[in-house]
Amino acid sequence: MTSWIPLGEMQLLPVSGGRLWIDGGNMFGVVPRMLWQRIAAPDEEHRILVETNCLVVRTPTSLGLIDCGYGSKAAEKIRRRYAMQSGAPLVRNLQKHDIVPEDIDWVILTHLHFDHAGGCTYRDQNQQLQPTFHRARHYVQRVEWDDGVGDVPELEGSYFKDDFLPLAETGLLQWVNCKSEIEPGITVSLTGGHTRGHQMVKLKSQGETAVYPADLCPTVAHLQTFCTLAYDQFPLIVRRLKPSLIRDIIEHQRLMLFSHDPDVAAARLVMDESGKLRADPIMPLPH
């Protein structure tokens, strides 16, 4: 079982919100298959294995969660397309650590795509939508919310309102604008890039820092500048932000957290003498 990672007075726990298989071309954008298949072996349907690494954060005064995986609501054809796990993987995996939804005080959503926000809600026995973490205040960038509910034609298929509208309807939604401290030492900042309202999370405690850049750098393979997602709405922004973010993480010896790597949840980044970038895992994920 995955263990807690100490970060000053905080503790961090990567928990799977469900594995899935996504088209490798979509995961690597302009990078040719002959290159990406060397580091991410595709199946017979050209898909690669992807994790949804949600992060539980225990502070001295609260228990929070970053992202919620894909949840249990997806239609059967979607579940087959992505080989999604049955039921509600995040809730099931939290229970392995004796955590139930009622324990969660706050949730940060880096963005509102289904594989990050789908687990925020579920359908009850009467098929009514309900918030999964019904005590928690959910933090979303206002511009991300506007795109999620805006019915923008060019974003059709990017957002599913059942994932997040119930948060507003039940009073659990909290908009943020650009940069905000959610809890002492836990800060979100607007990055854009992957989506217009994408945000990253920085966690600081007693001189130690961890960074959850979400889909700016979803896996170890995406540490390379041109390994970006076909899903990125603004890929040039990602290519500009990512190198400077990585340099900052290396220079200040921050902990790097990966949102989608199927094997590595957290790592220390190292630049060797030849200039090659390496990720030394702090925590490999259990299979």
Side-chain angles (χ1 to χ4, degrees):
M1 183 179 293
T2 305
S3 301
W4 292 86
I5 303 171
L7 188 82
E9 290 187 312
M10 296 183 193
Q11 290 182 301
L12 313 179
L13 179 70
V15 176
S16 172
R19 291 190 155 202
L20 65 166
W21 289 78
I22 295 181
D23 180 83
N26 284 340
M27 285 299 295
F28 286 98
V30 299
V31 177
R33 174 173 174 149
M34 64 178 294
L35 296 180
W36 62 252
Q37 69 181 0
R38 299 174 186 173
I39 51 178
D43 68 2
E44 65 278 1
E45 297 183 46
H46 318 292
R47 304 173 303 181
I48 64 170
L49 180 61
V50 172
E51 181 63 273
T52 60
N53 293 322
C54 308
L55 187 71
V56 181
V57 182
R58 188 185 300 279
T59 78
T61 59
S62 69
L63 188 68
L65 180 65
I66 302 174
D67 285 341
C68 296
Y70 51 68
S72 59
K73 303 186 307 296
E76 184 57 33
K77 67 177 182 179
I78 301 298
R79 302 190 81 87
R80 287 198 303 271
R81 179 185 303 166
Y82 295 112
M84 295 162 67
Q85 293 176 279
S86 62
L90 177 59
V91 172
R92 185 168 61 243
N93 291 324
L94 287 173
Q95 288 174 343
K96 295 176 183 177
H97 298 275
D98 298 320
I99 299 171
V100 296
E102 291 78 11
D103 295 333
I104 302 298
D105 300 305
W106 51 266
V107 175
I108 295 171
L109 297 173
T110 59
H111 58 296
L112 296 176
H113 285 169
F114 83 95
D115 53 329
H116 294 257
C120 287
T121 64
Y122 70 99
R123 292 192 180 276
D124 64 18
Q125 293 181 343
N126 298 317
Q127 294 303 301
Q128 298 299 306
L129 287 166
Q130 303 290 347
T132 304
F133 305 100
H134 58 84
R135 287 187 51 256
R137 186 158 295 276
H138 294 63
Y139 294 88
V140 182
Q141 288 284 335
R142 176 60 192 261
V143 67
E144 181 72 3
W145 183 266
D146 289 346
D147 282 351
V149 301
D151 296 319
V152 180
E154 58 267 29
L155 295 179
E156 183 176 358
S158 296
Y159 298 105
F160 302 95
K161 295 179 184 178
D162 286 355
D163 290 343
F164 45 82
L165 271 184
L167 304 179
E169 294 166 352
T170 55
L172 298 178
L173 176 68
Q174 178 69 54
W175 291 321
V176 295
N177 289 293
C178 296
K179 188 173 182 177
S180 181
E181 187 174 54
I182 304 305
E183 290 280 311
I186 302 173
T187 305
V188 298
S189 55
L190 177 67
T191 66
H194 181 60
T195 68
R196 196 164 68 104
H198 182 279
Q199 62 183 351
M200 62 179 284
V201 186
K202 188 173 287 186
L203 308 110
K204 293 184 177 181
S205 180
Q206 295 185 327
E208 299 183 58
T209 303
V211 179
Y212 188 94
D215 282 2
L216 293 183
C217 188
T219 76
V220 171
H222 289 83
L223 289 167
Q224 304 303 315
T225 298
F226 283 90
C227 287
T228 57
L229 303 171
Y231 303 110
D232 290 337
Q233 293 175 17
F234 306 95
L236 291 182
I237 291 178
V238 176
R239 291 179 197 167
R240 291 187 188 118
L241 284 176
K242 187 164 55 173
S244 61
L245 172 64
I246 290 170
R247 285 194 299 270
D248 178 76
I249 289 172
I250 294 172
E251 179 181 351
H252 295 96
Q253 299 182 326
R254 309 192 196 285
L255 181 66
M256 176 77 158
L257 302 160
F258 294 97
S259 59
H260 285 304
D261 197 288
D263 299 308
V264 179
R268 298 287 181 185
L269 303 186
V270 177
M271 189 76 72
D272 66 21
E273 294 180 355
S274 67
K276 186 176 181 179
L277 183 60
R278 185 179 78 244
D280 293 339
I282 295 296
M283 178 175 296
L285 294 174
H287 292 283

